[in-house]
Structure formats: structure tokens, C-alpha cells
Amino acid sequence: MEKILKKAVGKLAYVRSFGCQLNMSDGEKIKSILENIGCVLTDDESRADIIILNTCAVRESAEDRVFGIIGSMKKLKEEKPSLIIGVAGCMVQQEQNVEKIKKSYPQVSFAVGTSALDSIPKLIEESLESTKFVSDTEEYSNFCMGGHQVRDSSFKASVPIMYGCNNFCTYCIVPYVRGRERSRSPEEIVSEVRELVRSGYKEIMLLGQNVNSYGNYFEEECSEKIDFPKLLHMIDSLEGEFVIRFMSSHPKDVSPELIDAIFECPKVAKHLHLPLQSGSNDVLDRMNRKYTVEKYLRIVDEIRRRSPDFSLTTDIIVGFPDETEQDFGATLDVLKRVEYDNVYSFIYSKRSGTKACDMPDGTTEQRKSERMRELLELQREISTRHYKRFIGRTMRVLVDGVSKKREGFVTGKSNEFIIVEFEGDKSLIGQFVNVKITDSMNWAVTGEMIL
Ligand code: 5AD
Ligand code: SF4
């Protein structure tokens, strides 16, 4: 637990996180550290005395965006020379980025790595005393966390269960910036979830780069081997009304026990995010994904055999080096065959230091963009058709906000992770309600609340 830092007491602190849910969860950790040393959190960047940008390195566009934002902060720093700007997260785990910040962005006071967040108080203290750029990107532990914890929502909570990744997919920077896989102890996770449920949280999202390898490497010796399916059972047996979600699952590690656990645990959502990345075995091999399309489809078939309506979502990379027209066509074939509820697609982005970075690539950027458009168009048709299966049914929905599109409407997520819109007011936010579905669109379904 951090000690109050006298010089930081009362200082307004603003934290902005980019990227995946694990990074959002780190953002909550940063906010907690800041509150625990005496800072006051603000949403107003222009009034802040301390700004921390918690960055993402998965794609180049995310990095460019952050460099743009840091650049634009030069003016803020000129107007308020006492302003402290810190850069945290995956981007600063790459040495060349720390060097670039140090050399070209003098408005930045410090950089702090993903496993060194506990050094933030020390870095702030040093920055308050001197204008010299300081950084700490060592790998300590992600686990030491005490004191009061800030949560971005009062009803949805993210709970990291493991950190890092050992898979080294050839396109991915994560193993280089988040280090090797390590799991939190099951006791610590269960007790955190119990506390969250006790204080009214209704959705628990278990997070890890690959939750299926949970328990392979504990930081401390554990008496009993608990793997992910067992962890799901332990959390499911806690008392209270809540839904359990998890992200992400590597298809190579989906075991029969995991599928059993999803169906046996009533609180586990009937939805699986299963990143396919490509529908071509040749591309999957070059991506080092360690599964074939056939194995992937066997998992899908087993799930759909047990529950034909089970909701599946996926990640696709379009334009991996030397992806041929046939490779791309094979990906579209899988989309048609599986009928995902949602597909998150990304154009391949070259990440220096990864294996794919040195692979030859004959496809033009223009062709990659066209493929992306084709894929989005196909998925839009599939979602529109597929969402119709919910019409006439009653879905249990956790309401999470008011609709931005329609006045007097609220929006939420069903157990299947489908967006549901219906007439209602903001007093429903954070509650489970039953909604009878009357219509569907390509991004959501709509209906009427049943009392
Ligand atoms: N380029 C494009 N997409 C990527 N992803 C990871 N690395 C890259 C990259 N270099 C995507 C993958 C992953 C998701 C979180 O981001 O699809 O599942
Ligand atoms: Fe990246 Fe692959 Fe690890 Fe996911 S499993 S974080 S895509 S290396």
C-alpha cells in the first residue's frame, strides 16, 4: 500500500488508457495508486496537475495516436510548467519508444513500464523535485496491490487472473512488452470476486492474454493445481446474482473441461470470444497459432451441438504478410460457416521485433483495405441475419447506459454479449432486466422490458 506523498496531496490527476481491457484494468490500478498517495482524480485534462497516458502497442496506429497526443500536450506544459506528464503501458516497454520520448518530447517527465506501476509514487516524487526525465521499466510483480481500489464502473468489474503471454504469435508484440505468463493465486482471485459481488457488482470479467493457460505458472507455489475450468467452478459457486465473462481464449488451449465448465456453471455467460485470426492453415502456420482450421471448427461444432444458439465472437487479422486471395477467401468461408455474432477485424500492422516483421509481403495496402471492406460487408449481412434468431425471445440484460442514438432508450448486454436497446430510463443502469426481443439490426437487437 502506498504511503501518502506529501507533495502530491490534493494534486489533480488525470489518467487516460488506450487499447485492450487488460490495459483499462491497469488504468484502474494507476488511478488507485494516485488516490492512495493523496491525489484527487479528475476527468478534466486541462485542469490536471499530473497526467498519465497508459498506452497500447498492439498496432502502429495506436502508437501514432499517443505520440500525437503527447505532442499536443507541449502547449499544456508551456501554460503550466509544473504539470507532470507520465507515459505508462506497453509502448514504453520498447526501448526505442522511451528513447524517442526522452529525446523528442521534453514535456514528458517520466515513463513507467507495465510491471513497474508501483514505482509511480517514486517517479512522481522525483519529477516534482527535478525536471530531469526519469523512467522505470523493470519487471517487478503485477500482483502487489493494496489499499483502496478505484473502479471505473460500479457494476462491471475486470479482474486480471494472469499476466503476460508465452505464445509468440509471429505478428504480436504482447509477449515482448508484457513478459512471460504468470497467474494470480486462485484464493486471491476468488476473494476479490467475492468482495466485488458483495459490494453490488453484477458482471465479473476475468482477464488474461490467454485465460486457458491459467495456472500453468504461478508466481508462488500453490498447494493444489487449479486450472481455468476449476477456477470458473470456484467463482460460479460464490453466492449472489452476477454474470461471469472471460477474455481471451486461445483455440489451441480450449479443452473439453473448459467447454464442460461453460455449460455446467450457470453464472458463466453463454458466449465465447475465440480469436481465429485467419481461416487459412498456411497463414495460421506462419502466424505460429498452433491449431488448424479443422481443429477450430471441431470446437465450434461441439459447442453448437450442445447449444445451437451459443454466441461466438472472434478476432481476424486481414493482410498478414503474403496473405493470398485464396487465404483471404478461406477466412470468409469460416465466417460464413461459423456465423459469428461479432467479428473484430484488424489490418495487419508491422511490429518491430516480431518474427512477421521480417516476412516478405507482396500485397498492397490498397488491396488490404479492400479485403477489410469485403469482410466487414459480409459480417454485416451475417449479423443482421443471425440476430433475427433472438426475435420473440426474452433475454436477460445487464443495463449499462442510456442509448446515444435514441432518446428515452437504454442499452445493455445480454448474457450472449449482444447489445440490446429498449425503452427505459437511467435508473435501470447496473440492473438485470428481462427484455422481450421484437426486432433486430446488424449491431443490436431491440425489445420491450418485461416487468
Ligand atoms: N496487427 C494487427 N492486429 C493485431 N492483433 C495483434 N497484433 C496485431 C498486429 N500486429 C490483433 C489480434 C488480436 C487482437 C487483440 O489484436 O487479432 O487477437
Ligand atoms: Fe499475442 Fe498470440 Fe499472446 Fe494473444 S496469444 S497476446 S495474439 S502472442
Side-chain angles (χ1 to χ4, degrees), residues 343-362:
V343 172
Y344 304 88
S345 45
F346 313 96
I347 292 187
Y348 169 72
S349 167
K350 228 178 182 177
R351 305 284 57 213
S352 80
T354 61
K355 277 211 175 133
C357 190
D358 302 321
M359 293 181 186
D361 190 3

Side-chain angles (χ1 to χ4, degrees), residues 165 167-169 171-172 174-175 209-210 250 277 289:
C165 182
N167 290 315
F168 290 93
C169 300
Y171 51 81
C172 187
V174 168
Q209 300 299 342
N210 175 19
H250 196 308
Q277 312 299 1
R289 289 291 286 175

Side-chain angles (χ1 to χ4, degrees), residues 31-305:
K31 289 179 196 169
S32 310
I33 291 171
L34 292 170
E35 270 202 356
N36 285 327
I37 60 169
C39 294
V40 177
L41 297 174
T42 175
D43 288 331
D44 185 353
E45 183 192 49
S46 66
R47 289 179 56 221
D49 304 302
I50 298 171
I51 294 177
I52 298 187
L53 298 175
N54 183 27
T55 62
C56 167
V58 166
R59 280 170 289 275
E60 200 180 358
S61 52
E63 288 194 352
D64 290 347
R65 195 160 150 231
V66 167
F67 276 122
I69 293 171
I70 302 176
S72 69
M73 282 183 175
K74 196 171 173 200
K75 208 165 141 257
L76 273 180
K77 178 80 178 173
E78 279 166 5
E79 282 162 12
K80 192 198 267 188
S82 63
L83 173 68
I84 290 177
I85 301 172
V87 185
C90 293
M91 250 173 86
V92 295
Q93 289 296 137
Q94 293 164 289
E95 226 176 283
Q96 75 271 21
N97 282 338
V98 180
E99 282 311 308
K100 185 169 166 184
I101 293 171
K102 194 171 160 188
K103 200 164 138 238
S104 314
Y105 298 89
Q107 62 271 41
V108 176
S109 313
F110 70 86
V112 61
T114 48
S115 300
L117 299 181
D118 285 330
S119 301
I120 289 177
K122 179 177 73 97
L123 294 167
I124 291 182
E125 191 169 20
E126 287 171 12
S127 304
L128 284 165
E129 277 161 13
S130 140
T131 53
K132 195 168 161 274
F133 174 82
V134 280
S135 68
D136 190 349
T137 51
E138 287 299 309
E139 273 201 24
Y140 306 109
S141 170
N142 292 77
F143 307 119
C144 34
M145 193 45 201
H148 159 73
Q149 279 195 43
V150 175
R151 300 265 175 196
D152 289 336
S153 158
S154 58
F155 57 93
K156 289 196 289 192
S158 296
V159 177
I161 62 168
M162 59 173 303
Y163 298 93
C165 182
N166 287 0
N167 290 315
F168 290 93
C169 300
T170 54
Y171 51 81
C172 187
I173 196 74
V174 168
Y176 303 91
V177 293
R178 289 215 171 240
R180 297 292 64 74
E181 240 175 70
R182 54 238 184 256
S183 298
R184 287 176 74 194
S185 82
E187 293 80 20
E188 202 179 280
I189 296 168
V190 170
S191 109
E192 184 174 338
V193 175
R194 188 183 293 116
E195 266 319 299
L196 286 164
V197 174
R198 255 192 216 144
S199 39
Y201 280 84
K202 298 281 192 288
E203 179 184 294
I204 304 294
M205 173 69 91
L206 306 174
L207 292 179
Q209 300 299 342
N210 175 19
V211 291
N212 298 340
S213 51
Y214 173 80
N216 286 355
Y217 307 92
F218 283 113
E219 226 178 36
E220 284 158 23
E221 221 24 62
C222 275
S223 49
E224 193 196 346
K225 170 116 178 85
I226 301 287
D227 58 12
F228 187 58
K230 284 193 188 140
L231 183 71
L232 281 179
H233 278 285
M234 286 165 78
I235 298 175
D236 186 70
S237 63
L238 293 173
E239 265 179 44
E241 191 194 22
F242 64 103
V243 59
I244 305 167
R245 300 190 183 281
F246 56 86
M247 205 172 278
S248 253
S249 278
H250 196 308
K252 81 175 167 54
D253 297 318
V254 171
S255 61
E257 290 76 21
L258 175 69
I259 300 179
D260 286 345
I262 295 173
F263 286 102
E264 284 162 10
C265 296
K267 290 177 182 130
V268 173
K270 302 304 172 255
H271 159 237
L272 185 63
H273 182 68
L274 199 59
L276 169 71
Q277 312 299 1
S278 168
S280 149
N281 282 335
D282 184 39
V283 173
L284 287 176
D285 188 43
R286 286 187 293 120
M287 285 178 164
N288 190 31
R289 289 291 286 175
K290 302 196 182 85
Y291 55 84
T292 58
V293 175
E294 291 72 24
K295 154 140 190 184
Y296 185 97
L297 291 175
R298 276 199 294 277
I299 302 171
V300 171
D301 288 345
E302 175 55 17
I303 292 174
R304 290 264 164 85
R305 185 184 67 77

